[in-house]
Amino acid sequence: MNEAIQKAQVLIEALRYIRTFRNHHTVIKLGGSAMEDPAALRTTLEAVVFMETVGLRPILIHGGGKPIDRAMAASGLKPQKIQGRRVTDPDTLAIVVRVLREEINTGIVQQIRELGGRAVGLHTGPLQALFGHKLLLPGDDGTLIDLGQVGEVTSVDGEMILDFAAAGRIPVIPSLAIGGDGGWLNINADTAASAVAANLKAEKFILLTDTPGILRDRNDPTSLLTSLDAEDCRQLIADGIIDSGMIPKVEACLDSLRQGVLKTHIVDGRLRYSLLLEIYTHSGVGTEIVLTRAERAIPRR
């Protein structure tokens, strides 16, 4: 009986948050072990189905770094990256598009349906959600670097995304955009998710990663920084505490906040039901990022 009462208490604690977030949109970027580990992916998608069932409207954005690397290796191609972005020639692009659309996206949509949810992949014809143009990176000498068919998002079909979410379907969007010439562009998944969150003015933007959040000491999980503002982030980058692949994630959070997203979070995708812990409990998990110090004083919600 005591165990049953404890479960009931958990539901009562969650009730406040269920009411708060009902009919609000949360953009979730899937990555790392949350996608690579089948068990972690399944518990993540169970959490997403729960969220939609109790009235929150989740939108999923995904990349596919490691599966793309494996598919390239099987085709005899060697991945090349510049400033953390994949050089995407025509052969590489064909693999990226196939893996993201036909393998990963289809698999996520199917699993959501198996778990009792309803989902739709937005990446085909009239169901294309992301549009962009080619991205040229500045080199150290000031010249522009051409990465091939790599782009950045310039527009999002937010109305279509909102329509599906309002109808009880979970949009699942790969990090691909259509360019001005009608061809595909390979997009960084963090920045693609940030663009969607900003377009929708989402209540929350959550990035699932392979760390507990942002750590002051990457070798010490207890050094988790639970709340940061933009000034904190700039200082931590300057100090080298936020570095490497965490920098684009933090920048994606800050960009989306500047464009109207209310809260952003970097959460451990390896932790079972981390999404539910972050959204439906008093303490939350991971690192919350806001724009100003005043916003840090507002209780997590």
Side-chain angles (χ1 to χ4, degrees), residues 1 19 27 33 35 70 75 102 106 111 117 125 134 182 191 198 200 227 248 256 261 263 273 286-287 296 299-300:
M1 181 62 71
R19 285 177 169 170
V27 173
S33 295
M35 285 181 56
R70 291 193 292 268
S75 297
E102 300 176 18
T106 298
Q111 282 204 60
K134 192 169 180 176
T191 58
L200 302 182
S227 183
S256 66
V261 172
K263 293 279 187 176
Y273 304 119
T287 299
R296 289 183 59 187
R300 293 174 73 119

Side-chain angles (χ1 to χ4, degrees), residues 21-30 44-61 112 117-120 122 161-162 164-166 168-173 196 200 202-204 206 275-276 279-280:
F21 299 127
R22 187 169 183 82
N23 296 327
H24 288 270
H25 298 89
T26 290
V27 173
I28 301 160
K29 187 263 178 171
L30 295 177
T44 295
L45 296 181
E46 284 176 343
V48 169
V49 171
F50 175 89
M51 291 160 63
E52 196 283 323
T53 301
V54 298
L56 195 149
R57 296 176 178 175
I59 294 101
L60 303 184
I61 318 294
I112 289 173
R118 296 187 296 170
V120 58
L122 301 184
I161 296 171
L162 293 176
F164 278 113
R169 285 172 170 77
I170 300 167
V172 184
I173 307 170
V196 172
L200 302 182
E203 175 81 20
K204 286 181 178 289
I206 302 175
L275 283 172
L276 301 184
I279 295 175
Y280 296 111

Side-chain angles (χ1 to χ4, degrees), residues 95-299:
I95 291 173
V96 169
V97 171
R98 173 176 58 80
V99 171
L100 290 180
R101 294 174 67 204
E102 300 176 18
E103 297 179 16
I104 298 176
N105 194 275
T106 298
I108 291 172
V109 169
Q110 181 62 36
Q111 282 204 60
I112 289 173
R113 291 173 177 169
E114 290 171 358
L115 292 167
R118 296 187 296 170
V120 58
L122 301 184
H123 55 68
T124 303
L127 298 185
Q128 177 62 33
L130 305 181
F131 303 86
H133 63 205
K134 192 169 180 176
L135 174 66
L136 298 175
L137 292 180
D140 294 336
D141 60 359
T143 60
L144 295 177
I145 302 172
D146 187 343
L147 302 176
Q149 295 308 110
V150 173
E152 58 185 345
V153 176
T154 56
S155 66
V156 175
D157 191 341
E159 289 188 6
M160 178 180 66
I161 296 171
L162 293 176
D163 285 346
F164 278 113
R169 285 172 170 77
I170 300 167
V172 184
I173 307 170
S175 54
L176 290 168
I178 292 293
D181 62 356
W184 289 108
L185 292 169
N186 185 16
I187 308 289
N188 175 276
D190 293 329
T191 58
S194 175
V196 172
N199 179 274
L200 302 182
K201 301 293 188 289
E203 175 81 20
K204 286 181 178 289
F205 172 33
I206 302 175
L207 294 99
L208 297 181
T209 68
D210 286 342
T211 72
I214 296 176
L215 305 175
R216 185 169 292 280
D217 177 356
R218 70 180 61 188
N219 297 314
D220 179 8
T222 66
S223 68
L224 176 68
L225 299 168
T226 59
S227 183
L228 298 171
D229 58 40
E231 183 179 345
D232 296 327
C233 292
R234 286 192 292 269
Q235 187 60 54
L236 291 169
I237 291 173
D239 293 342
I241 293 172
I242 296 175
D243 63 357
S244 187
M246 189 59 74
I247 292 177
K249 297 183 190 307
V250 169
E251 290 177 341
C253 287
L254 294 175
D255 286 345
S256 66
L257 288 166
R258 293 186 190 103
Q259 297 180 70
V261 172
L262 295 184
K263 293 279 187 176
T264 66
H265 309 263
I266 296 177
V267 175
D268 193 343
R270 303 168 302 178
L271 178 65
R272 291 185 68 203
Y273 304 119
S274 57
L275 283 172
L276 301 184
L277 294 172
E278 179 58 44
I279 295 175
Y280 296 111
T281 67
H282 296 329
S283 57
V285 295
T287 299
E288 177 185 79
I289 298 177
V290 296
L291 276 183
T292 67
R293 195 150 301 241
E295 290 174 288
R296 289 183 59 187
I298 300 173

